[in-house]
Amino acid sequence: MTDEVESRAMMSRGRAHVLAGALARLLVGEVGRATTADSGAVRQRQRARAVRETLEGLGPFYVKIGQILSTRPDFVSQATIDELGALHDRVGAAPFTVFEPVLEAELGRGWRRWIRDIDVEHPIGSASLAQVYRVRLADGRSAALKVQRPGIASIVHADMAVLRRAGRLLATARPQFDEVVDIAAVLEVIFEAMAGELDFGVEARNMELGARMAEGFDLLTVPEVLLATPRILVQGMAPGSSIRDIGKASLGADQRLAVAHDLLAYMYHCYFVGRTFHADPHPGNVFVHSDGHASLIDWGMIGRVDRSISLKLALTLSNMAQNDGEGAAAAWVEMGKATLRADIEGFTSDVVSLVPRVAAASLDELNFGITFTTLLRYATRRGIRTHPMIPILGKSFANMEGSIRCLAPELSAAQVLRTELTGILMDLTCEMLSENYLARGALELMLASDSSFTQARGVLRDMAKRETRFTTDSQGAKKAGSGLVKYALGALGGLGLSRWWLRHRDDTKHR
């Protein structure tokens, strides 16, 4: 065993002991609450507060876990959801001397050639993962400098190892629960989403992708990446202040609604078209300027979905916006997997009763994000496994909805979706007509046609040898006939599309 492996194992054991101690304190507190004369509701609130404080004390990784749990009513009680919604990852500012060795290790001893001035006395942000300073660069530009706390990556990796083991134990102890939740897959999705929190080079790439996706939105920007290493990130300053602090009076009603619409529309396009999205757009990460422009910062945590899941999610939300409960239920089931004990009819009934309350409500009247995650509780209760990315999507949507509520609570998330749906469909259509997509379609059709030719040759060979048997089952005959028709259409389609592709390629070469 190498020194590095031994070090990681020791760190993992150490974090396991820390976690065990935290759980023991929670248990002692629970025993103490059981002996009081307080009502059940009071004890529930006290328990929820103790869980939140414990997660905050364990550090950034558990704060993220708690934030995701706050969107899972199928996991935790409503009192706990309300308390976890107040989770924050803020710690007291550490002296600059703690971070200076990181700067030197990442940029070299001459790092001050890059940074002319740095306000070390007043950090503009302090969390358990990093600290942020206002700086002036050598070329005179103002910027934000983000420096990772020394040793924090090892702690988070150790926490991940502990949770993997705990997840395996829970899956073994509660197999029916794991059947509908897939604990291991959910944890891996969370770990992957947090990659940018531990490597600022990854976060920089996330920001650049986010900026490209924001190009079609007049009121939305992502700060420019100026310099990035695994533990250092220098970016342009986001103008304005947190959407929580900007104040409705700072903007006119039309400005408020316009910037709120752009923020929500941007997230819809990220979910359904770009399929890469900001997973942590809480109010502290959304800045708004008095001129009506907004910026999205802190791209350390992002989510990614494949085309199939994004289309099914779009269909689910579109059906909810159009007050189609049965359609929303069917699309949700398609996103996941019905277990052997699934009650599809019951789930459909649940969704049909929920959707009418969502379709016409404003953010001030209804929490659309939490309503969306309520579907998780229905699905789990009815034995339907949900795709592991859905909790991250739910967290992202609930965070952005909460941010927008600070500025324009009268905005309807469903109405914004209805407004943007045509543009989203146009983007998806253009994607389907792109050269890469058509080329892939041609390959799939050619594979289908090749399979049909192979089967046809086999049938003819068997007929020549008089080995073919025909059944009088009319249903089987219909299925066989349908299969042959599909193969024939696949063959013709593959040949036709291949011919078109070759002609298109030749025309392109001669232009």
Side-chain angles (χ1 to χ4, degrees), residues 195-197 199-207 229-230 299-300 302 304:
E197 303 273 18
D199 185 339
F200 294 165
V202 173
E203 181 176 355
R205 292 192 290 275
N206 295 342
M207 291 176 68
T229 75
W299 285 77
I302 67 163
R304 291 186 175 87

Side-chain angles (χ1 to χ4, degrees), residues 445-473:
L445 286 172
M446 281 187 282
L447 285 171
S449 64
D450 182 67
S451 176
S452 67
F453 288 142
T454 300
Q455 291 196 17
R457 284 197 301 268
V459 170
L460 291 173
R461 184 175 60 248
D462 290 344
M463 290 176 67
K465 295 178 179 179
R466 298 184 179 180
E467 294 177 357
T468 304
R469 294 183 180 181
F470 296 95
T471 178
T472 58
D473 181 5

Side-chain angles (χ1 to χ4, degrees), residues 257 261 264 268 358-365 368 408-419:
L257 285 171
H261 184 283
L264 195 52
Y268 283 140
V358 179
S362 70
L363 294 180
D364 201 26
E365 297 164 338
F368 191 63
E410 66 270 37
L411 189 72
S412 166
Q415 181 57 48
V416 174
L417 178 58
R418 286 192 287 267
T419 302

